[in-house]
Structures are given as C-alpha cells and as structure tokens.
Amino acid sequence: MDTREVLIVNPTSSNQVDPDFIESEKRLHKWLPEHPAETIIATGFIASTPKNIPTTLKRDGSDFSAAIMGALLRAQQVTIWTDVDGVYSADPRKVSEAVILKTLSYQEAWEMSYFGANVLHPRTIIPVMKYNIPIIIRNIFNLSAPGTMICQLPTKEKRDDEGLESVVKAFATIDNLALVNVEGTGMAGVPGTASAIFSSVKDVGANVIMISQASSEHSVCFAIPEKEVDAVAKVLQARFRQALEAGRLSKVEVIHNCSILATVGQRMASTPGVSANLFDALAKGKDCVKALEAVHSRFYLSKTTLAVGIIGPGLIGGTLLDQLRDQAGVLKEEFNIDLRVMGITGARTMVLSNLGIDLTRWKELLKEEAEVADLEKFAQHVHGNHYIPNTVLVDCTADSDVANHYYDWLCKGIHVITPNKKANSGPLDRYLKLKAQQRSSYTHYFYEATVGAGLPIISTLGGLLETGDKILRIEGIFSGTLSYIFNNFTESRQFSDVVAEAKQAGYTEPDPRDDLSGTDVARKVIILARESGLRLELSDIPVRSLVPEQLRTIASAEEFMQELPKFDANIANERQDAESAGEVLRYVGVVDAMNKEGRVELRRYKKEHPFSQLSGSDNIIAFTTMRYKEQPLIIRGPGAGAQVTAGGIFSDILRLASTLGAPS
C-alpha cells in the first residue's frame, strides 16, 4: 500500500499534522477491495493532504502511521518493532538498575513520552486509545523478549498487598531547562497577569514545559528550555518594565541549569506514601542523575536494600563475608532483603564497587582491584551511592581508631554494627555521646557481638530493662579462652600445660597474656555495667590478672610460655584449696548493680553450680533481676570462634533490616 493514496492529514504547523480519520477511512474501504490480500505492507511516514499533495507525518511518523492504520482497521494490536526490549522504568544509561515494564497505561506512556522517555511520541498513542487497541513495543534483535504492552489498564482498586513499586511505574527526566519566576505582591488579585506573561512567552516562540502558580497569582513560575530563556527573560523585562519600576513586581528571576524529574504512575494520586518516599529519596540526590537513581531505587529495589561496608576482612570479617555470600540469595528471594557489599577495607588496601562486590570473588578482588585504604573515602563511597536508601558500616576490627569514627558516621545517617569493644568500653563520655546520638536519630548502632559473640546477651539485657525489670547482678564466664583453660585445669594437670594446649588449639591470642590479663573480660563487664545504667570507667574495674607480675614485661610470647611453668605452684595451690572444699575455680566478670560496681576475679563455685558444669570454651551468663531473683536467667553457649561471632554480627545486620522495614 502506498499510504499517500489512503492516509489524509491536515498540516497544523511546520512540525505537526492532524489525521483526517473520516476521509482516510473512506479511502481505505475503497482501497481494500481493489487489493485483496492476507498481508499488506504499507509505506510509513508519508501521507497526503486533502488536495492530494504528498506530505510527511513529521517526527516519529512511521510509528504514527502504524497507530493510524491500526485505528482505521480496528486492529487487535499494533506492534512497534525497535532496538530495545521494551519500555524501561528509567533511562538505563543513567540508572543501571532500570527494568523492562510489562505494561503501561496509555496515560502513563503519554506522560513518560512528554517527560523525555524514549517510549513513543505522545500523538502515536492518540489514534489507538479511542478503540482500546494495545500497542506492543518489541525488539527486532531479541525476539525472545516479550516487550511492553501499552493499553487501557483496568481501573481496579489498589489491593492491600500491592506495594508502592507497583503503583509507581517509571521515572523520566528532562534536562537543560531553566526556571523563570515572575513574582510580586502587585500581581495578587490582578486579573490577566498570567495571560500577559504567557502571551509574551508565546510571542518569542518558547516552549513552556511546566507551570506552577501561587495563589492569587502572587508568583508564576514556569520551566522552558535553557536555549530559549534569554529571549523570554528579555521580553518579560520589557513587557513588565513599568510594573518592575513601580514595585508592583519584585523580580523576573531566572534559575539556570535545571532538570525536571517526573514520577509516572496512574494510581499514585490515590495511594498514600508515594510523596513521602519520593521526597525522602530525592534528599539523597544532589544532581539529576543521582536523584533519578535514588528515587528509582526507592521504588524498584528490594523492600529493604542496604549498602554494606565491611571494615576488617580478617578472620571475623572474612567469615562474615562468606556467610553473606551463602545467604544473599535466600534473603533476597524469601525476605526481600538485598544486602549490597559496596566496599571492603583492610588496614592497607580496599576495594570499592558502585553496584555491589561479587562475594564469590571478594578475596581475589581485594588483591586484583585494590587501592590504598582510606577510611574517609571508604565511608563516603559506601554512603554516597545515592540510589540505595540505607547504609551500614560493619567494623570487624579491634581498632580504637576505627571506633573513634562511629559518632561521625551516626551523625551522617550511617548505621554502625560492630563486635569491636573499644567504643563501648572506652571513655564514658564517648559512650554516652554515642548512645545519645542513637536515641535522638533514626540511625542505629548495634553491638551484640561485643560481649558474647553470637549469644543474645546485649539484646536480653535490653529486653529486661525496656520491659521495666531491674538488674541486681550480672555474673558470667565471658572468656571462651579462660573457660577452656579452667574447664581443663584438673588435679592431674599443670596450669602452664593447659595454657600451652589452649594456645596450640587456637583458643588464645598469639600472646596468651592478652587473655590471661583479664582486660578483655573487664571490657565486657564495663559494657554490661553501662548498658545497665552504671556510669563506670574501665579503670574503675578491679581485675585479677593471671599473668605473674614477673612475666608481664617479658618481650616475647615464646619466652613467656617458657617461664610460665615456674609459677604453676601458686595457682595449683588455689585449685587444691577449692577442690578440698568440693569447689572449682572459674574466672568470672561481675556487675554488681546494687553497689554500683564491677570486678573481674577468680572465684570458687560448688560443683553443682551451673558455672561448674561448663565444657570446652562455652560462655555462661546469669542475670539476677527483680523478676529473676530466686532463679537467675541463664544464657549459655559458644562465646568465641569466627563462625559464631560472624553469626552474631550477621544477626545484627538482619535486625537492622527488620527495623528498616523488612519482614521479621
């Protein structure tokens, strides 16, 4: 078919024509009987005027031809073959997470087209809308892609289980715009001001994209292409010169370098929460592309998406990364939680990613793509991705310098999770400052693994206090290392032999004095004391050190281990005295809330006491409270080891995700 014989259009301007459907339909019904065929190939883009003068359908004329022919033939559908798989939820060149939309309403497609999305020209949709003919956008180079259907969507009520992401369909932007603001108290209540403004704009042929007007025409603001703003500003200054000089108008203001970001969805108007989510996400975008990424992620990423930064990929951090790798798929599929590790940093090197590190290769990437470690740059990168609404930094080190950054991170809206005891057992004022910041903001600071690795000690204590219970005493074996040593320090064995065995088995630090000094237990005691409301410094905690005074200044761990047998007799005597009384020795930490004190000591317990029943490197903690006064609340289990400690940290990450809205 030569469509110049069938399609009749009336030119309305140099850039537009209007189809004459009545005349075109007459000519089509005449043409069809004269050319009987099962398949008709028609020329696109061209038509004729009522005087049979050949013309074109202007921009996007081929798509327009298809829509007109579809309407004339009352077709079941119109397919537009192109070079993309369908209509994207946002420009994929700007938003890497953009997805293909299955369906769009005519109105949604129209809005997207108007606001710069590469969908269809708005006028292409007009002919088919009248007859509810669907348009399908397909990819000629990928026939397996189903494409996007543009049709009249049913006007059903929003279901209770329908999320905002199904109400908000897409996002589009128009760049290179300027805002013109005409403002003045003399405009209020004066009829015709807006008419005068836009009459002047029309005179210079400018294209007004969007208009905003304050009540009583006190101010009129509109967006136009940047290239047209100088002419518009000039004509408005001239048109309103007298009003400006008299003060009836205060200004004709131009704001350059603007963009419009449009959120498109037919049912947004009747759905609460869309604007709140949109503007919250917009706050994270400092320019158009970042704003587009931010709002798209808010509606299209998993319900709870976290940008995660791991500090310290050693034994604990490395185990956590492996656990995240193994569980990521299940969390995303079953719980709608998307944990994106955007960066991993050690003391010397770090690796950063804009989309998320491949955790199956994190060790290789840390070698192959590493850059010099910079904690400030690291935090800025993980938090500055703009398209993920929540950021958490996980400190798996025992470094005081890293802990010193927690307060600043919390102030910036970065959540912090850590097994590092240094912040909560350091200076009291710093601890109180952290807790105050946590309470006064929506930023969270979780540290379950600081006391009992994977055991729920901090959360249990918090639950008791929050429900109105009063802590009387907390007593526990908090060191897996010292638990192992005293569980195996029996009559037939020397203390130094048991320490050597624990060191060989990997239970102790490289230098066993770090465990035997009791400092680590003291830090756990001070954390629990402060969580219970006691204002104590670490120096307030008396500690029974198991390192003989003469060996505290020896340079090397090896020399310490060689000299330790010389001091076996002293502690053997203590053990013998305990055994004579039917008791055992246990190294414990105590929080005495009634007397507002804490201590770390070597104590004797009857053999039937729960603390005497431990095996291996288990920890045990007893809470004596007003509710649990006669029978203390006891928590027992592994209190050391990479797997359980990483599991405790992982649990805090999931607790954070639940707090932020993930299914619990």
Side-chain angles (χ1 to χ4, degrees), residues 55-192:
T55 188
T56 67
L57 297 180
K58 313 303 179 190
R59 181 188 158 202
D60 293 310
S62 295
D63 292 352
F64 197 19
S65 301
I68 295 169
M69 290 302 298
L72 292 173
L73 293 164
R74 311 294 191 269
Q76 288 186 326
Q77 72 178 44
V78 172
T79 303
I80 306 289
W81 292 98
T82 179
D83 59 355
V84 292
D85 286 345
V87 180
Y88 282 90
S89 54
D91 187 340
R93 295 167 299 183
K94 297 177 179 177
V95 179
S96 58
E97 308 275 339
V99 298
I100 297 290
L101 300 171
K102 292 179 181 176
T103 58
L104 277 174
S105 72
Y106 295 123
Q107 291 81 1
E108 288 166 342
W110 203 339
E111 286 285 321
M112 288 184 67
S113 299
Y114 182 75
F115 284 106
N118 187 19
V119 183
L120 292 170
H121 194 282
R123 62 184 182 154
T124 304
I125 300 166
I126 297 170
V128 294
M129 276 182 68
K130 184 177 179 182
Y131 303 105
N132 284 342
I133 299 169
I135 298 178
I136 309 215
I137 311 294
R138 296 283 305 279
N139 189 347
I140 192 71
F141 303 110
N142 182 14
L143 301 184
S144 63
T148 301
M149 178 181 285
I150 299 169
C151 57
Q152 187 63 52
L153 296 181
T155 56
K156 62 179 180 181
E157 288 296 315
K158 180 178 177 289
R159 301 191 310 270
D160 289 340
D161 62 343
E162 190 173 46
L164 294 179
E165 62 276 8
S166 61
V167 174
V168 175
K169 282 292 184 67
F171 304 89
T173 57
I174 305 178
D175 301 326
N176 303 315
L177 298 178
L179 281 178
V180 179
N181 184 38
V182 182
E183 187 177 305
T185 53
M187 294 168 59
V190 180

Side-chain angles (χ1 to χ4, degrees), residues 520-578:
D520 186 66
V521 176
R523 288 189 180 278
K524 293 176 181 180
V525 168
I526 200 73
I527 290 170
L528 291 173
R530 288 173 175 178
E531 292 291 300
S532 302
L534 304 185
R535 298 200 167 194
L536 299 175
E537 294 284 3
L538 189 60
S539 57
D540 296 329
I541 307 294
V543 178
R544 162 74 188 271
S545 174
L546 298 175
V547 181
E549 194 169 345
Q550 299 92 318
L551 303 185
R552 292 175 190 175
T553 56
I554 288 178
S556 72
E558 289 72 22
E559 190 179 349
F560 166 74
M561 291 303 299
Q562 289 170 5
E563 295 293 320
L564 187 60
K566 296 177 182 177
F567 299 87
D568 280 341
N570 292 340
I571 199 161
N573 290 335
E574 288 190 64
R575 183 195 64 200
Q576 184 62 50
D577 290 345

Side-chain angles (χ1 to χ4, degrees), residues 425-492:
S425 63
L428 177 63
D429 60 342
R430 187 173 68 180
Y431 167 81
L432 295 173
K433 196 175 172 184
L434 277 172
K435 297 293 286 185
Q437 177 59 29
Q438 181 188 17
R439 282 192 295 269
S440 65
S441 69
Y442 291 101
T443 311
H444 300 282
Y445 173 42
F446 294 151
Y447 40 86
E448 184 69 75
T450 56
V451 175
L455 297 178
I457 297 171
I458 297 289
S459 54
T460 299
L461 175 56
L464 291 170
L465 293 169
E466 287 163 10
T467 56
D469 203 352
K470 183 180 179 183
I471 304 298
L472 303 178
R473 181 183 179 90
I474 303 171
E475 187 172 349
I477 297 173
F478 295 106
S479 167
T481 303
L482 294 171
S483 176
Y484 178 88
I485 289 172
F486 283 98
N487 288 338
N488 289 278
F489 182 36
T490 58
E491 188 176 359
S492 60

